[in-house]
Amino acid sequence: QLKTALLEARNDVAMGATKANSAIVHAGFDALPGTLKAKFNVEGCEMMPKVCKDLSVPYKNNGSLVVAFSEEEMETVHKLYDRGIANGVPQMSILNKEELKALEPNLADNVCGALRAESAGIVCPYELTIAATENAVTNGVECIRNCKVEAISFADGVFTLKTTAGDIQTKYVIDAAGVHSDDVARMIGDESVNIVVRRGEYFILDRAVGDMVSHTIFQCPTKMGKGILVSPTVDGNLLIGPTAEEIDDKDDVSTTLSGLHDVKVFSTKSCPAVSTRNAITSFSGNRAHPVTDDFILGPSKVNPQFIHASGIECPGPGRVPCQSGGGSHRQRSRKGRFRRYPQGGLPLPSRHGRGESRRHREEPGLWPHHLPLRDRNGGRDHRRHPGPRRRQRRGRRKEKDPRGHGALPGRLLRLQGGGDPGP
C-alpha cells in the first residue's frame, strides 16, 4: 500500500510554479529588512544544504553575483550590500571590474563591478518537492491528486471542502494554492489576499555550454524582479531567463516569440557568448506576486483555522526548509540518517536517468524515461551517449553525429528500422 501511495504521490507533484522557476536558493540580500521574505530567505538558505543532503536532492553552493554596468547601478549594488548586512546575510563582498572578470571571464567587458554573495546556491526544485512529498507520504500523509476545490463551508469547528473528488472535512486548511490562493481564500470570505500573476519565460541550454559561468549571474533588479539571469544548473546545463509579464490567465504557461526574444537579447548583456543555438528547450512558469510584495503567512483574520501560505514568489525555494520545519519529523534509518522511503521500498528516479528499477519501470510516476529525449540527463540521453567504459567495451567505430552532438557510436546513430537518421 505504501509503494502504491508513493507512486501516486509522484504523479502531478511539482507541476505548478515549482517545475518552472530559476531553481535558485537566494542569499537574502534583496528583500527589505523586517519582511517575512528577508527572515525566511536567510534562515532557509542556511538550512538548505543539510535538508537537501537528508532528502538526497542535488544542491550546489555556487554563489551569486549582481552585476552592474554603470556607476548608477553600482550605487544599487552598494544599497543591496547594506540591505544584506541588515538582513544578516553572511559572506558578502563588493567586487571591482578586475576582480569580477577574474572570477567570471565570460562576462561582458563593460561590467563595472558586482555584489558577491557566497552563501547562495542552486537546487533541483521539482526533485526537492517530490522528495518532500515522498517523505510526507512515508509519515502517513494521504495525497489526493487531480482534485479541484470548488467551495468551502465551515460549521461546528470543521471545514467542509467541496471538491471534484468528493467532500473533505478537516479542522484546518492551509492555503498554498499558488496563483489561485486568492481564489481559495475568497471561498471563506477572506478578501485580504490579492495575487498578481507574472509569467516568466526561460531557455535551457545544452551541457556543452554549462560551464560558461560558475556563479548565478543577476543584473541589477527592477520593480518587476531580478531581471534576466544566467545560471548553471545542478544537472550541468545553463539556464537563462526569466521575463516578467503580468497576465490575466492564471494557467497560461505558453511561451511567446517576444518573450523568448527578450531572454535571448538581455542574457547577452551579461554574457555575450550566450547563444540560443545551444537551446535544448524553452518553457514558462507563472509566479504568484502579492500586492503587498511580501509572503502572506499565518492564520486568516476571518477564521484562524484557515492558514495562509500565499504569495510565495522569489525567493520561494530558499524558504522551503523554514516552511517544512527543517524536517524534524522525518523518519530515520538504522544509521541515523533521514530517508525518503522505508527500507526495501521504491527505488528513486535518478537525475542521471539510470535510477529506475526494471520491476517498476512500467509503473506510473515521474521517471526520466517519461521526459522528452533531449530533456533527460541535462540534455544528453545516456543511451545515445554511453559512458567511456561502455564505448570501450563495445569497441564500435565512432561517427560524427549529423545533429551536431559530437562523436557517437555508429550503431546508435542508426534508426531501429534502418536508414539514415537524417539531419
Side-chain angles (χ1 to χ4, degrees):
Q1 291 179 349
L2 181 57
K3 289 180 180 180
T4 302
L6 286 171
L7 283 171
E8 289 180 350
R10 283 176 177 162
N11 285 336
D12 306 312
V13 170
M15 298 301 290
T18 305
K19 72 170 183 177
N21 63 71
S22 304
I24 297 167
V25 181
H26 293 270
F29 54 76
D30 188 60
L32 291 173
T35 61
L36 294 175
K37 278 186 179 182
K39 172 181 171 60
F40 290 127
N41 190 179
V42 176
E43 292 180 5
C45 181
E46 182 181 357
M47 297 166 65
M48 185 64 79
K50 185 178 185 304
V51 170
C52 289
K53 181 179 179 181
D54 290 342
L55 293 177
S56 302
V57 173
Y59 170 84
K60 185 176 181 180
N61 175 219
N62 66 320
S64 66
L65 297 168
V66 180
V67 179
F69 296 91
S70 66
E71 291 303 323
E72 182 180 356
E73 290 188 347
M74 280 302 296
E75 294 180 5
T76 302
V77 165
H78 282 85
K79 290 179 181 178
L80 291 176
Y81 177 84
D82 294 338
R83 189 178 296 176
I85 294 297
N87 290 341
V89 179
Q91 299 176 293
M92 289 193 307
S93 58
I94 295 179
L95 308 178
N96 59 33
K97 179 176 182 176
E98 290 72 23
E99 294 170 329
L100 179 58
K101 289 288 286 184
L103 203 61
E104 293 287 0
N106 288 322
L107 291 181
D109 291 333
N110 62 332
V111 295
C112 296
L115 169 63
R116 183 185 186 188
E118 298 181 47
S119 62
I122 50 178
V123 71
C124 184
Y126 43 87
E127 286 197 43
L128 179 60
T129 306
I130 292 171
T133 303
E134 289 176 340
N135 186 73
V137 171
T138 302
N139 285 277
V141 172
E142 179 184 359
C143 288
I144 304 175
R145 303 173 293 109
N146 298 317
C147 174
K148 181 180 179 180
V149 178
E150 298 177 331
I152 302 176
S153 59
F154 184 80
D156 300 327
V158 176
F159 288 105
T160 299
L161 282 66
K162 182 180 179 181
T163 77
T164 53
D167 290 351
I168 300 173
Q169 290 189 325
T170 178
K171 289 185 178 181
Y172 292 90
V173 172
I174 299 176
D175 181 7
V179 295
H180 294 282
S181 56
D182 52 351
D183 300 326
V184 175
R186 291 189 187 101
M187 293 181 185
I188 67 162
D190 191 336
E191 302 285 343
S192 65
V193 180
N194 293 291
I195 299 297
V196 176
V197 183
R198 288 180 178 173
R199 179 173 59 191
E201 301 181 47
Y202 297 83
F203 277 109
I204 295 181
L205 308 187
D206 194 272
R207 294 177 69 185
V209 294
D211 58 353
M212 184 173 296
V213 296
S214 58
H215 294 73
T216 298
I217 309 299
F218 295 105
Q219 298 170 6
C220 279
T222 67
K223 64 179 181 178
M224 294 298 289
K226 295 178 174 61
I228 303 297
L229 60 87
V230 179
S231 176
T233 71
V234 291
D235 293 305
N237 298 84
L238 195 70
L239 180 72
I240 58 175
T243 54
E245 177 190 3
E246 295 186 358
I247 60 175
D248 296 324
D249 186 351
K250 296 184 177 184
D251 299 313
D252 181 8
V253 290
S254 59
T255 55
T256 64
L257 182 61
S258 59
L260 295 178
H261 177 265
D262 288 343
V263 173
K264 175 181 177 181
V265 171
F266 290 107
S267 61
T268 58
K269 178 181 178 181
S270 299
C271 298
V274 168
S275 173
T276 53
R277 295 169 63 182
N278 296 301
I280 291 174
T281 189
S282 59
F283 64 94
S284 73
N286 296 337
R287 58 184 182 268
H289 173 72
V291 295
T292 58
D293 200 28
D294 194 12
F295 297 151
I296 305 171
L297 299 172
S300 168
K301 293 181 179 180
V302 174
N303 189 325
Q305 292 174 230
F306 187 94
I307 313 299
H308 293 298
S310 308
I312 311 302
E313 55 170 352
C314 177
R319 66 173 290 275
V320 170
C322 301
Q323 182 178 3
S324 62
S328 59
H329 301 289
R330 280 171 293 202
Q331 291 187 340
R332 292 180 178 270
S333 67
R334 294 177 181 178
K335 294 183 179 180
R337 296 180 179 178
F338 294 118
R339 52 191 170 92
R340 289 169 54 178
Y341 57 95
Q343 194 72 24
L346 288 174
L348 299 177
S350 167
R351 66 190 177 96
H352 299 294
R354 292 189 279 267
E356 314 99 311
S357 165
R358 289 185 179 181
R359 186 159 52 99
H360 297 104
R361 189 167 292 173
E362 301 305 320
E363 297 282 356
L366 191 61
W367 299 97
H369 68 276
H370 288 177
L371 300 176
L373 184 62
R374 296 194 62 208
D375 280 357
R376 280 178 277 174
N377 193 18
R380 294 182 181 273
D381 179 71
H382 72 278
R383 286 172 291 187
R384 290 172 57 194
H385 294 255
R389 293 182 181 178
R390 192 171 174 184
R391 290 177 188 156
Q392 185 178 6
R393 185 169 64 250
R394 289 185 174 182
R396 293 189 178 93
R397 177 175 58 88
K398 295 181 178 179
E399 299 178 6
K400 184 68 176 178
D401 184 353
R403 285 160 289 194
H405 295 284
L408 294 174
R411 177 185 173 193
L412 296 182
L413 287 176
R414 299 187 180 94
L415 300 176
Q416 292 182 355
D420 189 273

